[in-house]
Structures are given as C-alpha cells and as structure tokens.
Amino acid sequence: QITLKESGPTLVKPTQTLTLTCTFSGFSLSTSGVGVGWIRQPPGKALEWLALIYWDDDKRYSPSLKSRLTITKDTSKNQVVLTMTNMDPVDTATYYCAHLLVGATTDYFDYWGQGTLVTVSS
Amino acid sequence: QSVLTQPPSVSGAPGQRVTISCTGSSSNIGAGYDVHWYQQLPGTAPKLLIYGNSNRPSGVPDRFSGSKSGTSASLAITGLQAEDEADYYCQSYDSSLSGHYVFGTGTKVTVL
C-alpha cells in the first residue's frame, strides 16, 4: 500500500525559502521506473506541476520555476524534499507530492498525498 | 502555465453523457506521449482516473473512458451520476525545454 504525506510550514514570509518534505511508504525510490513529483494548486485554480525526481536521481523542473526549485531525495529515509526560494504571495497554494510510474510513453501519478496548504504573507 | 487546454466547464443531467477535451501540441500529445486523467472531488487530492489514454485503474467505474487522437484527447462520462460532480484534469509529458510534465487547465463537471 503506497502512501505519501507532505509536511512543512503552513505560513512563510515573502522572500523566504520554502522547504517541503514528502515522506512515503510502500515503495522504494531506488526501484527502477518510479519517481516522486511535486504539484501545487492555488486556491480555486488548476494543478501546476513543479518538479520530479526519478529513481536514478535524474530530475526535471517546471521551466517557469526552474531557477527557484531544488528537489532531492533521501532513499534511506523514504523522503523527497522540495525547496522553493524567494517565495511570493502568488505562491500561496496547496502543495501535493505524488508517486510517478514511468513508462516508455506513459508517465503518470498514481498515488497522491493529501496536500499541505502553504500561505505566503507578511 | 498549462499547455494542455480544457473547457472550463461542462454539465449534464443524471444519466447523460458528457465529454471533456484536452488539446495539446506537437511537443506533448502530438509527439506520442500518453494522456492521463485525474478526478478531484471538492476538498480532496486528485485521484488517477484514466492512464495511458484509455486504461482504468482498478475500482474506476467503466462509465469513464478515454481516447486520444492527434494532438488531442478526450474523457467521456456516460450515465452521469451526482457523485461525478468534480474537477477533471488531463496530464501528459512535454519534450520541449529539457522535458517536463504538464497538466490541463481543468474542467468543472456539474450534474444538473
């Protein structure tokens, strides 16, 4: 049974750096063909993919946010960490982590965490 | 910055059939990457509904179906039920700019 859970601050100030942790169980991020990604959703708005890390430590970032994002993994702790620098009120959103299954032409998120709401305000 | 375009809303009476389109481009859907669909009930996390264009995970009713053609994909809901009222998102992979994942703009399904 795969589960994921996000943790981190609920409130950050503008210009600060946000650090979110995804703690998962039921799979290993050293297993070929899996990944963990981060997706966010501003209140009332659409999903936006942010970053992803694969089993082999390859990484992908949203082109529009690449300069602000860093994703890392700690396989021994079953955790993936996302950092986002220079936070702004427009970054207020629910942040989700999700398990990715990798295929030749078909990568999809089959398990999601419950999400954590991060508010950016002074 | 969604690159997959969906209609903002669709609606139908119980029992009717509704479809949701997802339009991409030559660097994502048109490049051969599969389309996946997620259902997000109010106040909850998204849930995988369709993967690989037309496959349903275990437990997803067969009234949900997906298809893909060219640079677009579609999700159909037949026999619409009240519990289908939710937001629906398509997702694919885009090969431009070193490769990245993309979600659609989202569609709100309302059961009249």
Side-chain angles (χ1 to χ4, degrees), chain A residues 39 41 45-49 52 54 60-64 66 96 100 102 104-110 112-114, chain B residues 1-2 32-34 36 38 40 44-48 51-52 89 91 93 97-106:
Chain A
I39 302 101
Q41 185 174 39
K45 296 190 177 182
L47 300 172
E48 178 184 17
W49 174 77
L52 193 124
Y54 298 95
R60 295 286 185 272
Y61 294 101
S62 165
S64 63
K66 184 174 183 178
Y96 297 99
L100 180 88
V102 177
T105 60
T106 184
D107 299 358
Y108 56 91
F109 299 98
D110 56 348
W112 293 64
Q114 64 189 25
Chain B
Q1 80 299 348
S2 299
Y33 295 105
D34 288 349
H36 321 290
Y38 302 86
Q40 187 176 32
T44 69
K47 165 195 164 186
L48 180 66
Y51 68 94
Y89 295 91
Q91 176 251 312
Y93 183 82
L97 301 171
S98 302
H100 56 283
Y101 296 89
V102 289
F103 282 94
T105 50

Side-chain angles (χ1 to χ4, degrees), chain B residues 17-102:
Chain B
R17 179 179 187 268
V18 297
T19 61
I20 301 170
S21 60
C22 173
T23 302
S25 67
S26 59
S27 61
N28 42 68
I29 299 174
Y33 295 105
D34 288 349
V35 177
H36 321 290
W37 293 90
Y38 302 86
Q39 178 192 59
Q40 187 176 32
L41 297 170
T44 69
K47 165 195 164 186
L48 180 66
L49 192 67
I50 296 286
Y51 68 94
N53 303 318
S54 59
N55 301 291
R56 287 185 307 275
S58 173
V60 172
D62 60 6
R63 65 177 184 274
F64 294 94
S65 62
S67 63
K68 172 191 158 183
S69 178
T71 57
S72 296
S74 291
L75 173 71
I77 311 174
T78 56
L80 195 63
Q81 298 186 7
E83 66 233 42
D84 300 332
E85 188 159 292
D87 293 321
Y88 293 82
Y89 295 91
C90 58
Q91 176 251 312
S92 188
Y93 183 82
D94 194 293
S95 59
S96 67
L97 301 171
S98 302
H100 56 283
Y101 296 89
V102 289

